[in-house]
Amino acid sequence: MPNIVFNAVDKRYEDHLDRYVFKGLNLHLRKGEFTVLVGPSGCGKSTLLRMIAGLEAVSGGELTFDGMRVNELPPVERGVSMVFQNYALYAHMTVYDNIGFGLKILKTPKAKRHEMIMHAARQLQLEELLQRKPGQLSGGQRQRVAIGRAIVREPRAFLFDEPLSNLDANLRGQMRTEIAQLHRRHGITTVYVTHDQVEAMTLADRIVALSRNGLEQFGTPDELFDTPANLFVAGFMGTHRMNLIKVDRANGALLQMLTGRNHDELAAAGVGTVGARPEHLELVPGGSACVQLVERLGAESLVHLRMTDTSEAVTVLTTDRQVAFGQGRSLCIAAERLHLFDAAGQRLASC
């Protein structure tokens, strides 16, 4: 169960020597933790994971496992197991043989191999499926086989590359639970890639938030949700996107309603954007914010409002079922729930 450390790591490709995927990356993934790499497509999540696995070369800097440099170490000697998005199962092999394939390559004695396969099958409820082939399995069953093949080798670290993206919503929820339970049972260092921030928030001990500009923030789910470091993290994390209102004169009335200060006061304090999460806003009957749309989500509704003198729309998550299109409302929020960012998009501690 290694500490995985990126020390000033660069990653670039030979055909684009001037384009860095990562430049000077410093990152410490702690032993035994469940770390999630999250961000939009093309931000380098899978590349980072593949560098850990040894499937992508490090262009500069140093990658270490428990202080030992692994830059040149081949994948088979790193002691990690990887679960891919497309499962990567052998179609002509049974579930039993798929789970045990890596052990066979390592020349594990047959009796020991059988014991390890059966133990993994029991953990993942695959015992009745061992003689089936992948084509006879559901998506969730195939995913469990891929996980079984990973855990049977008793790796030093688990690496998951968007393992649930091919599953439907209900099955994704079920498999999230199984993966979380797997980590709790084994306590193995786990690195998990996803573009789904809900998966990141529910699974992670700590989250690495990435954009095409590199590492944006590294911390616990609560830290990224409650104190986003910049506008990218603020807009990316959260089931419902944070309202981000630019500090300009066109939004003066809305800013006054939310902060109690006018445009000039906010600008003088260095505020470039004001953020407010939909679940932290409250609707007050009457006022100059007009209800444009109400999305009924069951127990809650997502209400879209717009001020008469601005193009900025604001969303509010509420349990009030009396809200309807065309009504006028005011907005209020506790001052400590507001998020303030400077003109460069970086978080302001206070102003």
Side-chain angles (χ1 to χ4, degrees):
M1 295 184 288
N3 286 287
I4 299 171
V5 178
F6 291 81
N7 185 15
V9 166
D10 296 337
K11 177 59 184 176
R12 63 182 185 274
Y13 293 101
E14 291 185 3
D15 55 341
H16 292 88
L17 293 178
D18 60 337
R19 185 179 70 83
Y20 284 80
V21 182
F22 294 104
K23 188 173 178 64
L25 176 67
N26 293 302
L27 186 63
H28 178 190
L29 309 183
R30 296 174 185 166
K31 180 180 296 188
E33 281 195 343
F34 196 122
T35 302
V36 177
L37 312 180
V38 68
S41 297
C43 69
K45 305 183 298 294
S46 293
T47 299
L48 193 61
L49 196 75
R50 289 169 67 84
M51 283 195 286
I52 296 172
L55 301 175
E56 292 276 2
V58 173
S59 304
E62 190 172 65
L63 174 61
T64 66
F65 288 6
D66 281 340
M68 183 184 78
R69 178 185 170 99
V70 298
N71 290 40
E72 295 80 23
L73 201 66
V76 70
E77 295 180 25
R78 297 195 181 196
V80 302
S81 284
M82 189 161 176
V83 178
F84 297 90
Q85 180 178 352
N86 63 358
Y87 317 135
L89 301 177
Y90 297 104
H92 65 288
M93 291 185 183
T94 63
V95 168
Y96 182 95
D97 290 333
N98 265 286
I99 293 175
F101 183 73
L103 297 175
K104 187 175 182 179
I105 294 297
L106 294 172
K107 295 183 169 52
T108 304
K110 189 172 182 180
K112 178 64 173 176
R113 188 165 77 236
H114 176 76
E115 179 185 335
M116 295 171 76
I117 292 170
M118 295 306 297
H119 179 66
R122 282 191 294 272
Q123 284 186 303
L124 296 166
Q125 300 175 18
L126 292 170
E127 292 171 285
E128 296 181 2
L129 306 175
L130 289 174
Q131 297 312 310
R132 294 190 188 180
K133 293 184 177 178
Q136 299 172 296
L137 305 177
S138 69
Q141 289 168 339
R142 288 197 294 271
Q143 187 58 270
R144 290 207 299 273
V145 175
I147 293 172
R149 186 176 57 192
I151 67 173
V152 77
R153 294 180 57 192
E154 299 178 343
R156 300 173 69 198
F158 283 132
L159 309 179
F160 291 91
D161 191 4
E162 301 205 47
L164 309 184
S165 59
N166 293 331
L167 305 179
D168 63 46
N170 288 336
L171 202 47
R172 279 202 303 274
Q174 178 186 332
M175 290 304 301
R176 273 203 306 270
T177 300
E178 292 188 16
I179 290 171
Q181 290 173 343
L182 177 72
H183 179 257
R184 280 195 293 271
R185 282 197 300 270
H186 293 270
I188 293 175
T189 304
T190 300
V191 188
Y192 185 104
V193 165
T194 183
H195 64 272
D196 184 338
Q197 56 85 29
V198 174
E199 280 184 22
M201 295 288 288
T202 55
L203 284 172
D205 292 317
R206 292 196 297 166
I207 295 173
V208 179
L210 298 168
S211 74
R212 289 187 176 88
N213 295 321
L215 176 63
E216 298 287 355
Q217 190 171 357
F218 182 34
T220 67
D222 286 345
E223 286 170 344
L224 270 68
F225 185 82
D226 294 332
T227 55
N230 52 44
L231 287 176
F232 171 82
V233 179
F236 195 83
M237 303 304 297
T239 304
H240 301 288
R241 191 176 186 275
M242 183 187 289
N243 297 292
L244 297 171
I245 301 122
K246 291 195 69 172
V247 175
D248 59 38
R249 293 190 185 281
N251 297 323
L254 179 57
L255 293 167
Q256 183 76 45
M257 184 184 291
L258 292 175
T259 69
R261 288 183 283 179
N262 62 37
H263 159 267
D264 293 330
E265 290 174 311
L266 290 167
V271 182
T273 304
V274 173
R277 294 200 179 277
E279 53 268 45
H280 295 157
L281 284 164
E282 292 183 34
L283 291 172
V284 180
S288 55
C290 182
V291 176
Q292 302 287 306
L293 175 68
V294 180
E295 298 181 59
R296 302 296 183 191
L297 306 175
E300 298 173 314
S301 297
L302 191 65
V303 180
H304 299 250
L305 305 102
R306 195 182 301 276
M307 301 290 288
T308 55
D309 61 346
T310 179
S311 60
E312 289 279 2
V314 178
T315 57
V316 180
L317 193 66
T318 180
T319 57
D320 184 354
R321 299 204 174 189
Q322 304 305 311
V323 181
F325 173 78
Q327 292 178 340
R329 288 288 190 270
S330 288
L331 299 169
C332 66
I333 185 171
E336 64 271 17
R337 294 289 200 177
L338 285 170
H339 301 267
L340 305 176
F341 304 92
D342 63 21
Q346 299 302 304
R347 183 178 187 82
L348 291 169
S350 62
C351 71

Short mmCIF file of all heavy atoms in Angstrom, two decimals, residues 36-87:
data_model
loop_
_atom_site.label_atom_id
_atom_site.label_comp_id
_atom_site.label_asym_id
_atom_site.label_seq_id
_atom_site.Cartn_x
_atom_site.Cartn_y
_atom_site.Cartn_z
N VAL A 36 -9.70 10.31 -5.75
CA VAL A 36 -10.43 10.41 -7.02
C VAL A 36 -9.86 11.55 -7.85
O VAL A 36 -9.69 12.66 -7.36
CB VAL A 36 -11.94 10.63 -6.79
CG1 VAL A 36 -12.67 10.81 -8.12
CG2 VAL A 36 -12.54 9.44 -6.03
N LEU A 37 -9.56 11.24 -9.12
CA LEU A 37 -9.13 12.25 -10.08
C LEU A 37 -10.36 12.65 -10.88
O LEU A 37 -10.97 11.81 -11.55
CB LEU A 37 -8.07 11.69 -11.03
CG LEU A 37 -6.90 10.92 -10.40
CD1 LEU A 37 -5.93 10.44 -11.48
CD2 LEU A 37 -6.17 11.77 -9.37
N VAL A 38 -10.74 13.92 -10.82
CA VAL A 38 -11.97 14.37 -11.46
C VAL A 38 -11.70 15.60 -12.31
O VAL A 38 -10.84 16.41 -12.00
CB VAL A 38 -13.07 14.66 -10.40
CG1 VAL A 38 -12.71 15.87 -9.55
CG2 VAL A 38 -14.43 14.85 -11.04
N GLY A 39 -12.45 15.71 -13.39
CA GLY A 39 -12.30 16.85 -14.28
C GLY A 39 -12.94 16.55 -15.62
O GLY A 39 -13.35 15.42 -15.89
N PRO A 40 -13.05 17.54 -16.49
CA PRO A 40 -13.69 17.34 -17.80
C PRO A 40 -12.81 16.50 -18.73
O PRO A 40 -11.62 16.26 -18.45
CB PRO A 40 -13.83 18.77 -18.33
CG PRO A 40 -12.72 19.52 -17.67
CD PRO A 40 -12.57 18.92 -16.31
N SER A 41 -13.40 16.05 -19.83
CA SER A 41 -12.66 15.27 -20.82
C SER A 41 -11.45 16.07 -21.32
O SER A 41 -11.54 17.27 -21.55
CB SER A 41 -13.57 14.91 -22.00
OG SER A 41 -14.63 14.10 -21.57
N GLY A 42 -10.32 15.36 -21.48
CA GLY A 42 -9.13 16.00 -22.02
C GLY A 42 -8.25 16.70 -21.02
O GLY A 42 -7.27 17.36 -21.40
N CYS A 43 -8.55 16.58 -19.71
CA CYS A 43 -7.75 17.30 -18.71
C CYS A 43 -6.55 16.49 -18.22
O CYS A 43 -5.74 17.00 -17.44
CB CYS A 43 -8.63 17.72 -17.53
SG CYS A 43 -9.21 16.35 -16.51
N GLY A 44 -6.44 15.22 -18.63
CA GLY A 44 -5.27 14.42 -18.26
C GLY A 44 -5.49 13.42 -17.14
O GLY A 44 -4.53 12.85 -16.62
N LYS A 45 -6.75 13.16 -16.76
CA LYS A 45 -7.04 12.22 -15.67
C LYS A 45 -6.48 10.83 -15.96
O LYS A 45 -5.74 10.25 -15.15
CB LYS A 45 -8.56 12.10 -15.44
CG LYS A 45 -9.29 13.39 -15.19
CD LYS A 45 -10.76 13.15 -14.90
CE LYS A 45 -11.52 12.49 -16.04
NZ LYS A 45 -11.62 13.34 -17.23
N SER A 46 -6.84 10.29 -17.12
CA SER A 46 -6.39 8.94 -17.47
C SER A 46 -4.89 8.89 -17.69
O SER A 46 -4.23 7.90 -17.37
CB SER A 46 -7.14 8.43 -18.71
OG SER A 46 -8.51 8.26 -18.43
N THR A 47 -4.32 9.97 -18.22
CA THR A 47 -2.87 10.03 -18.42
C THR A 47 -2.15 9.93 -17.07
O THR A 47 -1.16 9.21 -16.93
CB THR A 47 -2.48 11.34 -19.12
OG1 THR A 47 -3.10 11.40 -20.40
CG2 THR A 47 -0.97 11.44 -19.30
N LEU A 48 -2.66 10.63 -16.06
CA LEU A 48 -2.08 10.59 -14.73
C LEU A 48 -2.15 9.17 -14.17
O LEU A 48 -1.17 8.65 -13.61
CB LEU A 48 -2.83 11.56 -13.82
CG LEU A 48 -2.21 11.91 -12.47
CD1 LEU A 48 -0.86 12.57 -12.64
CD2 LEU A 48 -3.15 12.81 -11.68
N LEU A 49 -3.28 8.52 -14.35
CA LEU A 49 -3.46 7.15 -13.87
C LEU A 49 -2.51 6.20 -14.58
O LEU A 49 -1.90 5.32 -13.96
CB LEU A 49 -4.91 6.71 -14.08
CG LEU A 49 -5.36 5.47 -13.31
CD1 LEU A 49 -5.58 5.83 -11.84
CD2 LEU A 49 -6.65 4.91 -13.90
N ARG A 50 -2.38 6.38 -15.89
CA ARG A 50 -1.52 5.49 -16.68
C ARG A 50 -0.04 5.70 -16.36
O ARG A 50 0.77 4.77 -16.49
CB ARG A 50 -1.80 5.70 -18.17
CG ARG A 50 -3.17 5.15 -18.60
CD ARG A 50 -3.53 5.61 -20.00
NE ARG A 50 -2.64 5.01 -21.00
CZ ARG A 50 -2.79 3.81 -21.54
NH1 ARG A 50 -3.81 3.04 -21.17
NH2 ARG A 50 -1.96 3.35 -22.44
N MET A 51 0.34 6.89 -15.92
CA MET A 51 1.72 7.10 -15.45
C MET A 51 1.97 6.29 -14.19
O MET A 51 3.05 5.71 -14.01
CB MET A 51 1.99 8.59 -15.23
CG MET A 51 2.23 9.37 -16.51
SD MET A 51 2.96 11.00 -16.20
CE MET A 51 1.57 11.90 -15.53
N ILE A 52 0.98 6.25 -13.28
CA ILE A 52 1.13 5.44 -12.07
C ILE A 52 1.28 3.97 -12.43
O ILE A 52 2.11 3.25 -11.86
CB ILE A 52 -0.08 5.65 -11.13
CG1 ILE A 52 -0.16 7.09 -10.64
CG2 ILE A 52 -0.01 4.69 -9.95
CD1 ILE A 52 -1.43 7.43 -9.88
N ALA A 53 0.47 3.52 -13.41
CA ALA A 53 0.50 2.11 -13.81
C ALA A 53 1.75 1.75 -14.60
O ALA A 53 2.09 0.57 -14.72
CB ALA A 53 -0.74 1.79 -14.65
N GLY A 54 2.43 2.74 -15.16
CA GLY A 54 3.59 2.48 -16.01
C GLY A 54 3.24 2.31 -17.47
O GLY A 54 4.09 1.92 -18.28
N LEU A 55 2.00 2.62 -17.83
CA LEU A 55 1.56 2.52 -19.22
C LEU A 55 1.87 3.79 -20.01
O LEU A 55 1.78 3.80 -21.24
CB LEU A 55 0.05 2.22 -19.28
CG LEU A 55 -0.39 0.94 -18.57
CD1 LEU A 55 -1.91 0.82 -18.60
CD2 LEU A 55 0.26 -0.28 -19.20
N GLU A 56 2.19 4.87 -19.32
CA GLU A 56 2.64 6.12 -19.93
C GLU A 56 3.97 6.51 -19.28
O GLU A 56 4.11 6.41 -18.05
CB GLU A 56 1.63 7.25 -19.73
CG GLU A 56 0.32 7.07 -20.46
CD GLU A 56 0.38 7.56 -21.90
OE1 GLU A 56 1.47 7.99 -22.33
OE2 GLU A 56 -0.65 7.50 -22.57
N ALA A 57 4.92 6.95 -20.08
CA ALA A 57 6.23 7.34 -19.55
C ALA A 57 6.15 8.73 -18.91
O ALA A 57 5.39 9.59 -19.36
CB ALA A 57 7.27 7.34 -20.66
N VAL A 58 6.94 8.93 -17.88
CA VAL A 58 7.10 10.25 -17.26
C VAL A 58 8.16 11.01 -18.05
O VAL A 58 9.26 10.50 -18.28
CB VAL A 58 7.52 10.10 -15.79
CG1 VAL A 58 7.87 11.46 -15.18
CG2 VAL A 58 6.42 9.42 -14.98
N SER A 59 7.84 12.22 -18.50
CA SER A 59 8.76 13.00 -19.34
C SER A 59 9.82 13.73 -18.53
O SER A 59 10.90 14.05 -19.05
CB SER A 59 7.98 14.01 -20.18
OG SER A 59 6.98 13.37 -20.95
N GLY A 60 9.53 14.02 -17.29
CA GLY A 60 10.48 14.74 -16.44
C GLY A 60 10.04 14.66 -15.00
O GLY A 60 8.88 14.35 -14.70
N GLY A 61 10.95 14.95 -14.08
CA GLY A 61 10.63 14.85 -12.67
C GLY A 61 10.71 13.41 -12.19
O GLY A 61 11.29 12.55 -12.85
N GLU A 62 10.09 13.14 -11.04
CA GLU A 62 10.23 11.82 -10.42
C GLU A 62 8.90 11.34 -9.85
O GLU A 62 8.19 12.08 -9.17
CB GLU A 62 11.28 11.89 -9.31
CG GLU A 62 11.68 10.54 -8.74
CD GLU A 62 12.84 10.66 -7.79
OE1 GLU A 62 12.66 11.30 -6.73
OE2 GLU A 62 13.92 10.12 -8.08
N LEU A 63 8.57 10.09 -10.15
CA LEU A 63 7.40 9.41 -9.59
C LEU A 63 7.92 8.34 -8.64
O LEU A 63 8.76 7.52 -9.02
CB LEU A 63 6.57 8.78 -10.70
CG LEU A 63 5.38 7.91 -10.27
CD1 LEU A 63 4.37 8.71 -9.47
CD2 LEU A 63 4.71 7.27 -11.50
N THR A 64 7.45 8.36 -7.39
CA THR A 64 7.95 7.40 -6.40
C THR A 64 6.81 6.66 -5.72
O THR A 64 5.72 7.20 -5.54
CB THR A 64 8.80 8.08 -5.32
OG1 THR A 64 7.98 8.97 -4.53
CG2 THR A 64 9.95 8.88 -5.93
N PHE A 65 7.08 5.39 -5.36
CA PHE A 65 6.22 4.59 -4.50
C PHE A 65 6.98 4.37 -3.20
O PHE A 65 8.04 3.74 -3.20
CB PHE A 65 5.92 3.23 -5.12
CG PHE A 65 4.99 3.23 -6.30
CD1 PHE A 65 4.53 4.41 -6.88
CD2 PHE A 65 4.57 2.03 -6.87
CE1 PHE A 65 3.69 4.40 -7.97
CE2 PHE A 65 3.72 2.01 -7.96
CZ PHE A 65 3.27 3.19 -8.52
N ASP A 66 6.46 4.92 -2.10
CA ASP A 66 7.15 4.81 -0.81
C ASP A 66 8.61 5.20 -0.89
O ASP A 66 9.50 4.52 -0.34
CB ASP A 66 7.02 3.39 -0.25
CG ASP A 66 5.65 3.14 0.38
OD1 ASP A 66 4.98 4.13 0.72
OD2 ASP A 66 5.27 1.97 0.52
N GLY A 67 8.87 6.28 -1.61
CA GLY A 67 10.22 6.82 -1.71
C GLY A 67 11.10 6.18 -2.77
O GLY A 67 12.20 6.67 -3.03
N MET A 68 10.64 5.10 -3.40
CA MET A 68 11.43 4.44 -4.44
C MET A 68 11.02 4.95 -5.82
O MET A 68 9.85 4.94 -6.17
CB MET A 68 11.22 2.92 -4.39
CG MET A 68 12.07 2.16 -5.40
SD MET A 68 11.74 0.37 -5.40
CE MET A 68 10.20 0.33 -6.35
N ARG A 69 11.99 5.42 -6.59
CA ARG A 69 11.73 5.92 -7.93
C ARG A 69 11.23 4.78 -8.82
O ARG A 69 11.84 3.70 -8.86
CB ARG A 69 13.03 6.51 -8.51
CG ARG A 69 12.91 7.02 -9.95
CD ARG A 69 14.28 7.47 -10.44
NE ARG A 69 14.28 7.74 -11.87
CZ ARG A 69 14.19 8.94 -12.41
NH1 ARG A 69 14.08 10.00 -11.64
NH2 ARG A 69 14.21 9.10 -13.72
N VAL A 70 10.12 5.03 -9.55
CA VAL A 70 9.56 3.98 -10.41
C VAL A 70 9.47 4.44 -11.86
O VAL A 70 8.84 3.75 -12.68
CB VAL A 70 8.16 3.54 -9.90
CG1 VAL A 70 8.25 2.93 -8.50
CG2 VAL A 70 7.16 4.70 -9.94
N ASN A 71 10.06 5.57 -12.20
CA ASN A 71 9.96 6.11 -13.56
C ASN A 71 10.24 5.05 -14.63
O ASN A 71 9.54 4.96 -15.63
CB ASN A 71 10.95 7.26 -13.76
CG ASN A 71 10.57 8.50 -12.99
OD1 ASN A 71 10.12 8.42 -11.86
ND2 ASN A 71 10.75 9.66 -13.60
N GLU A 72 11.27 4.26 -14.42
CA GLU A 72 11.70 3.29 -15.43
C GLU A 72 11.20 1.88 -15.13
O GLU A 72 11.49 0.94 -15.88
CB GLU A 72 13.24 3.26 -15.52
CG GLU A 72 13.86 4.56 -16.02
CD GLU A 72 13.97 5.63 -14.93
OE1 GLU A 72 13.98 5.26 -13.74
OE2 GLU A 72 14.03 6.82 -15.28
N LEU A 73 10.46 1.70 -14.04
CA LEU A 73 10.00 0.37 -13.65
C LEU A 73 8.85 -0.08 -14.54
O LEU A 73 7.86 0.65 -14.70
CB LEU A 73 9.54 0.40 -12.19
CG LEU A 73 9.49 -0.93 -11.43
CD1 LEU A 73 10.91 -1.50 -11.27
CD2 LEU A 73 8.84 -0.72 -10.07
N PRO A 74 8.92 -1.28 -15.15
CA PRO A 74 7.83 -1.74 -16.03
C PRO A 74 6.55 -2.00 -15.24
O PRO A 74 6.60 -2.26 -14.02
CB PRO A 74 8.38 -3.03 -16.64
CG PRO A 74 9.44 -3.49 -15.70
CD PRO A 74 10.03 -2.24 -15.10
N PRO A 75 5.39 -1.97 -15.90
CA PRO A 75 4.11 -2.14 -15.21
C PRO A 75 4.03 -3.39 -14.35
O PRO A 75 3.52 -3.35 -13.23
CB PRO A 75 3.10 -2.18 -16.35
CG PRO A 75 3.74 -1.40 -17.46
CD PRO A 75 5.21 -1.67 -17.34
N VAL A 76 4.54 -4.51 -14.85
CA VAL A 76 4.39 -5.78 -14.15
C VAL A 76 5.13 -5.79 -12.82
O VAL A 76 4.79 -6.56 -11.92
CB VAL A 76 4.89 -6.95 -15.05
CG1 VAL A 76 6.40 -6.91 -15.21
CG2 VAL A 76 4.41 -8.28 -14.51
N GLU A 77 6.12 -4.90 -12.65
CA GLU A 77 6.90 -4.87 -11.42
C GLU A 77 6.43 -3.80 -10.43
O GLU A 77 7.04 -3.64 -9.37
CB GLU A 77 8.38 -4.65 -11.76
CG GLU A 77 9.01 -5.80 -12.55
CD GLU A 77 10.48 -5.54 -12.86
OE1 GLU A 77 11.12 -4.77 -12.11
OE2 GLU A 77 10.98 -6.10 -13.86
N ARG A 78 5.37 -3.09 -10.78
CA ARG A 78 4.91 -2.01 -9.89
C ARG A 78 3.92 -2.49 -8.84
O ARG A 78 3.63 -1.77 -7.88
CB ARG A 78 4.29 -0.88 -10.71
CG ARG A 78 5.28 -0.22 -11.65
CD ARG A 78 4.80 1.10 -12.17
NE ARG A 78 5.78 1.68 -13.09
CZ ARG A 78 5.79 2.94 -13.47
NH1 ARG A 78 4.85 3.77 -13.05
NH2 ARG A 78 6.71 3.39 -14.31
N GLY A 79 3.36 -3.67 -9.02
CA GLY A 79 2.45 -4.22 -8.02
C GLY A 79 1.11 -3.52 -7.95
O GLY A 79 0.49 -3.45 -6.89
N VAL A 80 0.64 -2.99 -9.09
CA VAL A 80 -0.66 -2.33 -9.14
C VAL A 80 -1.60 -3.12 -10.04
O VAL A 80 -1.16 -3.84 -10.93
CB VAL A 80 -0.56 -0.87 -9.63
CG1 VAL A 80 0.37 -0.07 -8.74
CG2 VAL A 80 -0.11 -0.80 -11.08
N SER A 81 -2.90 -2.99 -9.80
CA SER A 81 -3.91 -3.61 -10.65
C SER A 81 -4.83 -2.53 -11.19
O SER A 81 -5.26 -1.65 -10.43
CB SER A 81 -4.73 -4.65 -9.87
OG SER A 81 -3.99 -5.84 -9.69
N MET A 82 -5.17 -2.61 -12.47
CA MET A 82 -5.95 -1.56 -13.12
C MET A 82 -7.24 -2.13 -13.68
O MET A 82 -7.25 -3.22 -14.28
CB MET A 82 -5.13 -0.91 -14.23
CG MET A 82 -5.74 0.32 -14.82
SD MET A 82 -4.48 1.30 -15.70
CE MET A 82 -5.48 2.61 -16.40
N VAL A 83 -8.34 -1.41 -13.45
CA VAL A 83 -9.64 -1.76 -14.01
C VAL A 83 -9.99 -0.71 -15.05
O VAL A 83 -10.06 0.48 -14.75
CB VAL A 83 -10.73 -1.80 -12.91
CG1 VAL A 83 -12.09 -2.13 -13.53
CG2 VAL A 83 -10.37 -2.84 -11.85
N PHE A 84 -10.22 -1.17 -16.29
CA PHE A 84 -10.43 -0.26 -17.40
C PHE A 84 -11.92 0.03 -17.63
O PHE A 84 -12.79 -0.71 -17.19
CB PHE A 84 -9.83 -0.85 -18.69
CG PHE A 84 -8.33 -1.03 -18.64
CD1 PHE A 84 -7.78 -2.21 -18.19
CD2 PHE A 84 -7.48 -0.01 -19.04
CE1 PHE A 84 -6.41 -2.39 -18.13
CE2 PHE A 84 -6.11 -0.17 -18.99
CZ PHE A 84 -5.57 -1.36 -18.54
N GLN A 85 -12.17 1.11 -18.36
CA GLN A 85 -13.53 1.52 -18.69
C GLN A 85 -14.27 0.45 -19.48
O GLN A 85 -15.46 0.22 -19.28
CB GLN A 85 -13.48 2.83 -19.49
CG GLN A 85 -14.84 3.37 -19.89
CD GLN A 85 -14.72 4.69 -20.65
OE1 GLN A 85 -13.65 5.26 -20.75
NE2 GLN A 85 -15.82 5.17 -21.18
N ASN A 86 -13.58 -0.23 -20.39
CA ASN A 86 -14.23 -1.23 -21.24
C ASN A 86 -14.07 -2.65 -20.71
O ASN A 86 -14.29 -3.62 -21.45
CB ASN A 86 -13.69 -1.14 -22.67
CG ASN A 86 -12.21 -1.46 -22.75
OD1 ASN A 86 -11.56 -1.70 -21.73
ND2 ASN A 86 -11.66 -1.46 -23.95
N TYR A 87 -13.64 -2.77 -19.43
CA TYR A 87 -13.50 -4.04 -18.71
C TYR A 87 -12.30 -4.86 -19.18
O TYR A 87 -11.64 -5.51 -18.40
CB TYR A 87 -14.76 -4.91 -18.79
CG TYR A 87 -16.05 -4.16 -18.60
CD1 TYR A 87 -17.14 -4.38 -19.43
CD2 TYR A 87 -16.20 -3.21 -17.59
CE1 TYR A 87 -18.32 -3.70 -19.27
CE2 TYR A 87 -17.38 -2.52 -17.42
CZ TYR A 87 -18.43 -2.76 -18.26
OH TYR A 87 -19.60 -2.07 -18.10
#
